[in-house]
Amino acid sequence: MKPGLRLKSLTPDAPLVEVQFGGEALMLPEGDNLAAALLAAGIDGFRQTPYQGVARAPYCMMGICFDCLLEVDGVSQQSCMVQVRAGMDLRPARQRREGPYASL
Amino acid sequence: MDADFAIVGGGIVGLSVALGLLDAGQGVVVLDGSDADPKASRGNFGLIWLQGKGVHQPRYARWSKESADLWPGFAARLKETSGVDVGLRQDGGLDLHFNDDSLADAVTEHEALQAELGAEYPFEVLTPETLSIEEPEVGPKVAAAILHHGDGHVDPLALIKALSAAVVARGGRIIGATAVTDVAARGAADAGFRLTCADGAEIQAAKVVLAAGLGSAQLGPGLGFAAPLRPERGQILITEKLPPLIRRPSLIARQDRAGGIQIGATNEDVGMDRRVTLDGMAKLAAEAVDAYPVLARAQVLRAWGALRVMSPDGLPIYQESPTCPGAFLISCHSGVTLAAVHAMSLPSWLLRRDSAPDLEVFGETRFAA
Amino acid sequence: MHRFDLAIVGAGPAGMAAAREAAEAGLKVALVDEQPRAGGQIYRNVGQAAQTYGAQLGKEYLRGVPLVEGIDHEAITHFSGHSVWAIEKGQLALNSPDGARQIGARCVLLATGAIERPMPVPGWTLPGVMGAGAAQIMLKQSGLAVENAVLVGSGPLLHLVAVQLLRAGAPPVALVETRQRRDSRRALLMWRLMLRAGRYIQRSLADLNELRNAGVPRHMACADVALLGERRVDTVSFSSGGRRQELSCDAALLHHGVVPHVQASRAAGVPHIWSDKIQAHVPVCDSWGRTEVPRVWVAGDGAWIGGARAAELSGRIAGLAIAHDLGFVHSPERDRRTSGWIEERDFELSLRPLIEKAFPPYAAALAPADNVTVCRCEEISAGEVRQAVRDGATGINHVKVSTRAGMGRCQGRMCAAALARIVVRESDAKIDEIGTLNARPPIKPVTLGALAGMRREAEGSEDD
Ligand SMILES: Cc1cc2nc3c(=O)[nH]c(=O)nc-3n(C[C@H](O)[C@H](O)[C@H](O)COP(=O)(O)OP(=O)(O)OC[C@H]3O[C@@H](n4cnc5c(N)ncnc54)[C@H](O)[C@@H]3O)c2cc1C
Ligand SMILES: Cc1cc2nc3c(=O)[nH]c(=O)nc-3n(C[C@H](O)[C@H](O)[C@H](O)COP(=O)(O)OP(=O)(O)OC[C@H]3O[C@@H](n4cnc5c(N)ncnc54)[C@H](O)[C@@H]3O)c2cc1C
Ligand code: FES
């Protein structure tokens, strides 16, 4: 299986911080754009569509399309509009929201 | 003649009546206005609701009850005829109360209705303990709830779609994007009616039903109706799709089939203004979060405002024109609840059959006093 | 509630220039942008990136530096990271990770810029398919260059992004250009304009040269574009010169022009009309940027596509005109100071027809084939939309309620134009007869908790 997007980085390595993505630890550059950082980490399943249940990944990177949707600490958000912080709890946005509701 | 019945207005009311008339063997044409008109049928909350209906008019309580009882069969028939599932769920609805005083007032009303209707009005009061089992996401600010077993809800947009498709499938004609500008009796008694449309087209029909929502207020007087209808704005919010959180609909929120939570609705007297307001949205949100605290983290996806079609006493109007027999005015502010009875019982009244329901109290003479 | 004379939505060239002019004229200005840093689309992140990889992005990009510096002014409050989700008489509702809040403003200027024209082609929902502008945003904002990409579509930005990727060391696989030979011929007929546009044409030719020298293939007059792949895109398929071709890739970057981002102006109640020239709805405004809604103004690419320089100038003009309307500047001074700007802006705008002719949108993506998804949110295909029209839907909002297209999270930003075109063609109506999708607040997501918090705040202040 091919990896996700291949991205070449031009910036000096920013300090990495740990976040959780779907329950697994991931190191991302602090303060970077979350969607871009995840793409660079090889992730390309951000949002799952409500009917066909297929994965989507960022399309516009400017807050228009909502395909980069993630649950960030229990609230669904456009990850292209969020910056990486240490300790974020991230999950792909499922057909129906999970987050704090998952146990119900 | 183009049809036995011309129906002005292709909202829930007009289409339900059209379907019923088609079932009764009548030829029907529905003329519906523009996409830009106010359309309560596209913006409502989708409840089939009996609680508190008809406190001052038991006939209204019975009429609503009759409709609620007909709904399961009606939904099944709609599915069969149109292929569209309206998503009926009818296992009770809740009226949440934040304090004991408002609860006590409501209970008094419900008891009065029960005295009138007996077993036909099955309600109970849920204490916080029972609520925590029946509706686990209801929060601690809720003092108690009234559960009425006949209440339920449907997907309002699916309802409109199902009704339109069923009318067409049964041989009715729907002409959209055509505002009727004039309806006139064609001379001699029983010669029928001529309807003129904005684009100049004319339709002839033996009988005519005004079911144009707020538009009936303009067309009504020309046919001898008072049609004292006024708009009342309701704002509604809808959230992203969430896992099942709300089992039974309440007057504050309901969860639709796809998982979205609809929150509504305000009651505002602001004329024809359909906008949403910061105040209105914030008020709805605050109440929803008070009732179901888990919703605080849900994103609101959209909000809209729609206009209720209100008569002075809030009751439906069923009136045949005193001056132009064969012209009828039909209007109500609970068109979803009453859709079943409009399709299955009202046509016999329009056709003056022996089986016609007694709708005397809903006539316009009540406004004369 | 904080109160300002002027609240500006959008800190791109238009918003930044307007803020500066208004502040200089003595207005108290709020400059709100959902991005963490000022710059807008063209100058995104320029304050940070100029030092590190500004060179790869080019001279044009660096022109943003003085604009960003200009908003460092005591009369300007920059609300970065705040999205505006409602505009109501005299107030703006903002949302940020810290919650929702309102600010008061005597005037509002919407400088919300452009978005890339959505390009619904088969496979455009696959991961690995992005806007070319989106790839550029990653480059400017995160210093990340998309490797092994095929750029598909039409427009100067397509070439620019290709060059920027090349310079960043990530040469694209190829360009698949959808413009037809007649498009370039039509543009050539506008030779007078071409002479005037010399500066832009030179730059564009230089870009193309750079691509050629680097050996990046350009496929011209392409049609039948489809993006293929199982879970993510791995192939771009198209026909060109009578041949079907396939290119393997790791990413497909789509672009066929930009259109005004009008969600905010629509939700604010500003009337919009369809423009055949830019193939999109545009807000109606006068030459200062004043709309028909009292105290609501528009500037920049959100008002009319004119490019970065025109955006900056229209921002300056609106900033000073608002200062005038609020009584801070007399008419003679306004007129004296704006006359040069107006002339230059009108010059910039006069060049646009050249771009419109030379780089028309990809026709097959304007009213896509039946099997193409048009509404990405609710997963509705063009065929379903056509069926709804055949079933009697008469306007665009009717289509919306009967198919759910346009009802998802993006509120129709991605599908409105395609829906409109399909309805027009299918029902033989005119575009101004079918209506526009209703746009209402919240135009950006806000949680019920944040909304409820606003209510509590309001009640709290009533008690005071
Ligand atoms: C916010 C809100 C919440 C509601 N919640 C509920 C609920 O939970 N349960 C419930 O039972 N009811 C509810 N209702 C009420 C319900 O929606 C209405 O009773 C019902 O939709 C009325 O339908 P109608 O067909 O009379 O009117 P409309 O839906 O308004 O339709 C009228 C139609 O007539 C057309 N028209 C107007 N003038 C002309 C003309 N001159 N020529 C041709 N056509 C014309 C219009 O274009 C329109 O399509 C709610 C209403 C609102 C606003
Ligand atoms: C993806 C993309 C890339 C582009 N790249 C180039 C380029 O490299 N070169 C070029 O010449 N042109 C480019 N353009 C064209 C561009 O539109 C103009 O050059 C220029 O940026 C327009 O300036 P503006 O001030 O009108 O808007 P913009 O620069 O687009 O600024 C608008 C700002 O408004 C903000 N905004 C919008 N809505 C809200 C809201 N609801 N709440 C808060 N903030 C909001 C946005 O975050 C944005 O920062 C690009 C366009 C796009 C869409
Ligand atoms: S990628 Fe489109 S909204 Fe984030």
Side-chain angles (χ1 to χ4, degrees), chain A residues 50-51 69 73-77 94-98 100-102 104, chain B residues 137 240-245 256-259 294-299:
Chain A
Y51 304 101
L69 203 73
D73 297 329
V75 179
S76 69
Q77 291 184 47
R94 295 281 163 202
Q95 304 182 21
R96 286 183 169 183
R97 273 278 302 284
E98 287 186 324
Y101 309 123
L104 290 162
Chain B
E137 293 307 333
E240 60 192 328
K241 300 172 176 74
L242 300 168
L245 292 174
D256 68 25
R257 299 187 259 193
V294 64
L295 294 182
R297 288 171 143 188
Q299 297 280 16

Side-chain angles (χ1 to χ4, degrees), chain C residues 2-10 18-19 22 27-32 79 84 86-94 103-111 268 288-291 293-298 317-328:
Chain C
H2 277 289
R3 287 181 197 285
F4 297 87
D5 295 310
L6 171 62
I8 301 175
V9 187
L27 281 73
K28 203 174 154 215
V29 179
L31 179 61
V32 190
F79 292 87
V84 173
I87 298 146
E88 210 170 276
K89 207 171 165 216
Q91 40 184 319
L92 238 55
L94 317 186
I103 59 173
R106 296 169 66 196
C107 265
V108 176
L109 173 64
L110 303 174
W288 303 103
R290 203 188 276 119
T291 72
V293 178
R295 314 219 148 194
V296 175
W297 298 62
V298 291
I317 295 163
L320 211 60
I322 291 167
H324 164 266
D325 278 20
L326 291 181
F328 286 81

Side-chain angles (χ1 to χ4, degrees), chain B residues 8-15 31-35 37-49 53 160 178-181 211-216 218-219 232-236 265-266 304-309 330-338:
Chain B
V8 186
I12 298 175
V13 172
L15 291 170
L31 297 151
D32 193 30
S34 120
D35 221 20
D37 287 350
K39 291 176 192 281
S41 302
R42 282 189 195 171
N44 68 69
F45 203 58
L47 297 178
I48 292 168
W49 209 250
K53 288 263 172 74
I160 268 284
T178 342
V180 173
T181 50
L214 291 168
S216 295
Q218 272 88 56
L219 292 172
E232 182 191 272
R233 182 170 70 192
Q235 299 185 43
I236 292 182
T266 58
W304 65 87
L307 300 178
R308 297 183 184 84
V309 185
I330 301 180
S331 171
C332 71
H333 95 87
S334 286
V336 178
T337 307
L338 297 178

Side-chain angles (χ1 to χ4, degrees), chain B residues 135-301:
Chain B
E135 203 64 47
E137 293 307 333
V138 163
K141 287 191 182 165
V142 175
I146 297 177
L147 167 62
H148 187 296
H149 291 280
D151 293 339
H153 57 148
V154 294
D155 173 345
L157 295 181
L159 175 58
I160 268 284
K161 204 172 161 178
L163 285 168
S164 313
V167 163
V168 173
R170 301 285 284 127
R173 205 151 56 102
I174 302 177
I175 307 180
T178 342
V180 173
T181 50
D182 185 53
V183 185
R186 302 195 326 160
D190 285 343
F193 295 85
R194 179 188 302 115
L195 292 84
T196 315
C197 304
D199 61 4
E202 284 192 1
I203 300 276
Q204 326 268 352
K207 291 178 180 170
V208 62
V209 176
L210 283 192
L214 291 168
S216 295
Q218 272 88 56
L219 292 172
L223 287 169
F225 299 107
L229 302 169
R230 67 173 176 86
E232 182 191 272
R233 182 170 70 192
Q235 299 185 43
I236 292 182
L237 311 175
I238 181 133
T239 71
E240 60 192 328
K241 300 172 176 74
L242 300 168
L245 292 174
I246 299 181
R247 278 182 60 194
R248 293 193 174 99
S250 74
L251 290 170
I252 295 175
R254 68 179 195 95
Q255 187 159 24
D256 68 25
R257 299 187 259 193
I261 294 190
Q262 251 194 20
I263 295 158
T266 58
N267 299 77
E268 300 163 275
D269 185 3
V270 290
M272 298 300 278
D273 184 348
R274 276 182 281 163
R275 282 178 296 187
V276 292
T277 63
L278 286 173
D279 274 354
M281 289 189 281
K283 179 176 160 286
L284 290 174
E287 198 176 47
V289 171
D290 279 348
Y292 310 91
V294 64
L295 294 182
R297 288 171 143 188
Q299 297 280 16
V300 178
L301 295 198

